[in-house]
Amino acid sequence: MPIRPRTVAFDVVETLMSLEPLRTRFADAGLAPELLERWFDRLLRDGMALTLAGDYEPFPAVAAAALKTLARGDLDDDAVAHVLAGFQDLPAHPDVEPAMCTLSEAGISMVCLSNGTAETTTSFLERNELDHHIDQVISVADVRSWKPPVRVYEHALDEIGHAPHDVALVAVHAFDCHGAKRAGLTTGWAGRLEGHYGDVFAPADILGRDLVDVAQQIAALTET
């Protein structure tokens, strides 16, 4: 049984941030709205592939390249810019605010750890009035590596200043929980996106329906 963490590190894109409004921008660019999930999966895959090859490109560049590939090259720069500009207006999922309130009331601090840029994450938090819950925004750009290599989570621990057992990574992506688990963090997975935790990954310490469920279970853990 894991102990109650001092800090929760939230993944951002799709864990906190909803991509759903981008469907309209896909349609504006001549892309089928139902390609949204395929695009995001490709984006993650390509970011990880670069990391595996020993290279790094930031989230916006990989997102743009994935869009152009999805359109088989038939998408101009203006259309790509229009789709990606939608990140400036994306909302938080409905379970985010109550989950953060639960953790805050339990005396657990919170940070964000994202594949995205620190600027985009900070803007998202401020726009959705979540910034008062978050002490720190940490981007993988700092270590030039997409999640889930262990070094990303070790960098986050250095930034937070806590030992691994004092920090929990919360995400809707099983691969993210797997990487954090390998770095010694407690992990909490919300099933809102994937619906089933992949059997090939190290089991998460906490499984919940959504972020509120995960936050409640974290807050209920004993401190020692």
Side-chain angles (χ1 to χ4, degrees):
M1 178 66 67
I3 64 171
R4 185 177 182 181
R6 296 169 61 186
T7 299
V8 163
F10 281 107
D11 170 57
V12 177
V13 184
E14 278 296 12
T15 296
L16 305 182
M17 178 190 292
S18 172
L19 296 177
E20 191 62 29
L22 292 182
R23 291 191 196 278
T24 300
R25 290 178 180 262
F26 268 52
D28 293 342
L31 295 169
E34 57 268 24
L35 290 177
L36 176 65
E37 287 81 5
R38 185 176 172 191
W39 165 70
F40 187 62
D41 287 345
R42 176 180 287 276
L43 191 167
L44 289 176
R45 186 205 69 180
D46 290 355
M48 293 177 191
L50 286 165
T51 294
L52 286 168
D55 298 308
Y56 174 78
E57 289 290 340
F59 189 99
V62 180
L67 268 178
K68 289 183 177 180
T69 300
L70 197 63
R72 304 185 71 81
D74 189 22
L75 201 64
D76 62 30
D77 290 342
D78 288 342
V80 170
H82 174 71
V83 173
L84 297 186
F87 273 88
Q88 299 171 10
D89 302 312
L90 293 179
H93 285 284
D95 56 350
V96 174
E97 173 71 18
M100 289 185 174
C101 286
T102 295
L103 294 173
S104 181
E105 290 167 3
I108 298 170
S109 63
M110 288 160 274
V111 304
C112 287
L113 174 61
S114 180
N115 278 327
T117 67
E119 294 77 12
T120 297
T121 300
T122 299
S123 176
F124 161 77
L125 293 169
E126 292 173 348
R127 187 174 62 253
N128 287 279
E129 299 182 348
L130 299 169
D131 52 309
H132 62 286
H133 289 296
I134 302 297
D135 292 340
Q136 206 171 357
V137 172
I138 304 167
S139 171
V140 302
D142 299 337
V143 287
R144 297 179 61 81
S145 170
W146 285 58
K147 293 186 278 185
V150 168
R151 65 182 180 275
V152 176
Y153 307 95
E154 290 177 338
H155 170 70
L157 291 172
D158 288 342
E159 291 291 303
I160 297 166
H162 292 337
H165 64 267
D166 283 328
V167 179
L169 183 283
V170 172
V172 295
H173 307 287
F175 77 82
D176 204 352
C177 291
H178 179 90
K181 187 75 172 177
R182 288 290 175 254
L185 282 70
T186 298
T187 53
W189 175 81
R192 176 184 5 96
L193 177 69
E194 295 173 337
H196 174 75
Y197 193 91
D199 299 333
V200 296
F201 297 117
D205 295 295
I206 291 171
L207 301 174
R209 298 181 306 277
D210 55 23
L211 293 184
V212 175
D213 189 7
V214 171
Q216 289 173 342
Q217 291 185 61
I218 290 174
L221 293 172
T222 57
E223 295 185 17
T224 55

